[in-house]
Amino acid sequence: MHNTTPPKRTELPSSAQLKRSTIIAALSALALLVVVILPSEYGVDVTGMGRGMGRVLGLTEMGEIKTQLAEESAADAAATATPASTTSTEPVATTSPELTNRVDEIERKLAEVMLKQQLRERVTATSRQVEAKAVAPAKTVAAVPAPQPVAPTPAIKNDQTTIQLDPGQGVEVKLVMKAGKSAAFRWTANGGTLNFDTHGDGGGRSISYVKGRGVPQDEGQITAAFDGNHGWFWRNRTNSPVTLSLQTRGEYESFKRVK
């Protein structure tokens, strides 16, 4: 058995809702008529937007081809129609090869139109991809600083010597050095004492760094005040022989005993 219970009044749509639905349906049908049906079926584009929405979508060109097909079919049918017979009340029409060829030609044109539309869409998509890549920010590449030349490490020299000094005898040892270069030293009188003068000379200049009398030993560092010879002069002022031992290490060019 069917359910014959009538719907409640609250479930039925109101008059305003029915009017609104009717207006929306009419506007939708009108839009479809203008945008789709008129361009595709009759080749008429009434949008007034430049080339028109129908031509952009390829529907106008399709409608023009269909209209042309219908007109040519009607003309061919009228030209090839057989005059009415005296014994028959209905006209007899035959299909000509020319009409068939025209139909095939129009179908070919329709296929070309669809192909052109597909190619146009592909070209548009490709152009958008190319533009997106062109707008993409370029990656920043950090500049790598050029390696700085490493200054050569100056040659460090080591020397040592032992000298026997009789009473009243003197001796001088010099290091050939460039201005600003340094050398560490240590000397001993091996149980005796010596007078000494640490000094330098070269290029018409001379300097006395430090002097001492009756000193058993000394050590430290000598830094050249200018290019030249920098070193020591010792003299034995005792009544006994003294053995002098000297050790040097530093940035000097040569080690030499003067007298």
Side-chain angles (χ1 to χ4, degrees):
M1 295 179 65
H2 297 286
N3 186 6
T4 58
T5 303
K8 297 180 180 179
R9 181 178 297 274
T10 56
E11 296 177 350
L12 296 176
S14 63
S15 299
Q17 291 176 338
L18 291 174
K19 290 181 180 180
R20 184 173 56 187
S21 300
T22 303
I23 293 172
I24 293 175
L27 292 177
S28 299
L30 179 61
L32 290 174
L33 175 64
V34 173
V35 176
V36 178
I37 298 175
L38 288 180
S40 63
E41 294 297 331
Y42 303 100
V44 178
D45 189 355
V46 296
T47 58
M49 298 172 56
R51 292 176 56 87
M53 184 63 70
R55 188 167 299 277
V56 172
L57 299 175
L59 300 176
T60 302
E61 189 172 0
M62 186 184 299
E64 292 174 353
I65 293 174
K66 288 183 177 180
T67 303
Q68 181 182 359
L69 174 60
E71 292 176 355
E72 292 180 355
S73 298
D76 291 339
T80 58
T82 303
S85 174
T86 56
T87 59
S88 176
T89 60
E90 295 181 2
V92 179
T94 60
T95 302
S96 66
E98 183 179 358
L99 177 60
T100 302
N101 293 336
R102 287 181 176 274
V103 172
D104 294 340
E105 180 66 18
I106 292 175
E107 291 179 352
R108 185 182 64 81
K109 289 182 179 181
L110 286 173
E112 290 179 356
V113 170
M114 297 303 295
L115 179 60
K116 289 180 180 179
Q117 181 65 21
Q118 294 177 359
L119 291 176
R120 189 181 300 113
E121 293 176 356
R122 292 180 182 178
V123 170
T124 302
T126 304
S127 300
R128 291 176 180 174
Q129 293 177 358
V130 172
E131 291 176 358
K133 292 181 180 179
V135 174
K139 294 183 179 179
T140 303
V141 180
V144 179
Q148 298 296 326
V150 179
T153 303
I156 303 298
K157 291 184 177 295
N158 291 276
D159 288 283
Q160 62 181 6
T161 185
T162 301
I163 304 172
Q164 181 76 32
L165 296 177
D166 295 330
Q169 184 180 2
V171 67
E172 188 173 17
V173 175
K174 295 291 184 69
L175 305 177
V176 180
M177 305 174 66
K178 296 291 185 181
K181 300 299 182 180
S182 300
F185 68 89
R186 173 181 173 82
W187 64 265
T188 63
N190 294 310
T193 60
L194 293 170
N195 297 346
F196 74 93
D197 178 12
T198 304
H199 62 283
D201 61 81
R205 303 174 62 182
S206 63
I207 185 173
S208 178
Y209 296 108
V210 63
K211 295 181 179 181
R213 289 181 176 274
V215 179
Q217 63 182 26
D218 190 24
E219 63 180 305
Q221 180 172 288
I222 182 172
T223 301
F226 47 81
D227 294 353
N229 303 312
H230 302 269
W232 306 263
F233 175 78
W234 294 273
R235 185 177 294 278
N236 180 8
R237 291 299 187 181
T238 69
N239 296 324
S240 302
V242 176
T243 301
L244 170 67
S245 297
L246 173 66
Q247 297 176 338
T248 60
R249 173 183 174 82
E251 301 174 295
Y252 54 87
E253 298 178 3
S254 62
F255 177 98
K256 61 183 180 179
R257 176 177 173 176
V258 179
K259 57 181 178 178

